[in-house]
Amino acid sequence: MRWKRGRRSQNIEDRRGMNTSARGRGARRGGGMKIGGGGAILLLLASLFFGQDLLTAFTGGGSAGGLGGSLGGGIGSGQLAPPLSQTSGVRDNDEAGQFISAILADTEDVWTKLFQQAGQRYQVPKVVLFEDGVNSACGFTSSAAGPFYCPGDSKVYIDLGFFRTLQEQMKAGGDFAQAYVLAHEVGHHVQNLLGVSMAVQKKQRQVPKIQANALSVRTELQADCYAGVWAHHAHKDRQLLEPGDLEEGMNAAAQIGDDALMRNAGRRVHPDGFTHGSSQQRQTWLYKGLESGDAQACDTFNSQI
Ligand SMILES: [Zn+2]
């Protein structure tokens, strides 16, 4: 990726090196929306550790008609971000931090443009960099759960160590694979602004687990599609992609598919337990966004997935 020449975002909260303990705090259900990789192999361990099923922690996907993919869905779900507090970027010599800052800036530019075109205003999310564990409006979350977005505070949370796991354990290396992870979480932020997250959460509380999982899959696939929409415009407007980037993204989407994760964890592949979609589904929707650059093409709630 040609990310170095791009502008940087100041909407980064660097909490690395801060001592965060889970003690006295319960990891809460109804928390973040994850990429679906994030030490997913460690996820079961984490689930055992916290005594709850992080695999089904909030995700969602409401069949709420017309919400999915429509930028006309309307902002005003009543859960928008609180006013920005302190802002801090990252140090010049912090390459990993600079990368996040550059990709975040690019997602800001793309989504601001797309919201504007739809007559809406894009409210930028913050990205929190942390190590080991972090407290958010979604409770305490261990790094083992992977990157996530918390709708309650409109922030994306990433332990950069995840990218090592992604490359070494999940065989999904490359800068575009990492950018896809961030853009997927930003995709959840877009869903939050459009009111999708809330509609889905509400619906999920009313249905059996299998259906709640199915809604989760549709939500996650839409976030994948939105990641593709971002990449489409980043390339069209700023020629961000280099040869090989597309392949890195498609490979990452395959490696973090639920079937691949289950297989790699030595578990039986059971589609009812999918929360993020199969490898093929994740590739399909990432590609749909990449190819079209159109958020309307990401209506996973009213499409065959
Ligand atoms: Zn996700």
Side-chain angles (χ1 to χ4, degrees), residues 1 99 163 166 172-182 245 248-249 252:
M1 295 183 75
F99 175 75
F163 292 141
L166 193 66
D175 54 5
F176 187 71
Q178 298 179 3
Y180 157 50
V181 168
L182 178 58
D245 283 337
E248 281 174 12

Side-chain angles (χ1 to χ4, degrees), residues 18-49:
M18 284 170 62
N19 191 11
T20 309
S21 160
R23 231 169 291 145
R25 305 177 178 98
R28 286 205 325 243
R29 239 185 125 89
M33 308 173 80
K34 298 175 290 298
I35 179 73
I41 296 159
L42 298 172
L43 203 55
L44 281 179
L45 266 181
S47 302
L48 287 172
F49 199 74

Side-chain angles (χ1 to χ4, degrees), residues 33-36 59 147 184-185 188 219-220 223-224 276 282:
M33 308 173 80
K34 298 175 290 298
I35 179 73
T59 35
H184 169 99
E185 299 305 338
H188 285 312
T219 307
E220 295 299 331
D224 283 341
H276 287 71
R282 299 199 72 163

Side-chain angles (χ1 to χ4, degrees), residues 71 109-122:
L71 274 175
D109 293 347
V110 168
W111 286 111
T112 296
K113 177 182 84 172
L114 296 179
F115 269 63
Q116 248 166 23
Q117 286 171 359
Q120 309 270 14
R121 197 170 69 84
Y122 181 61

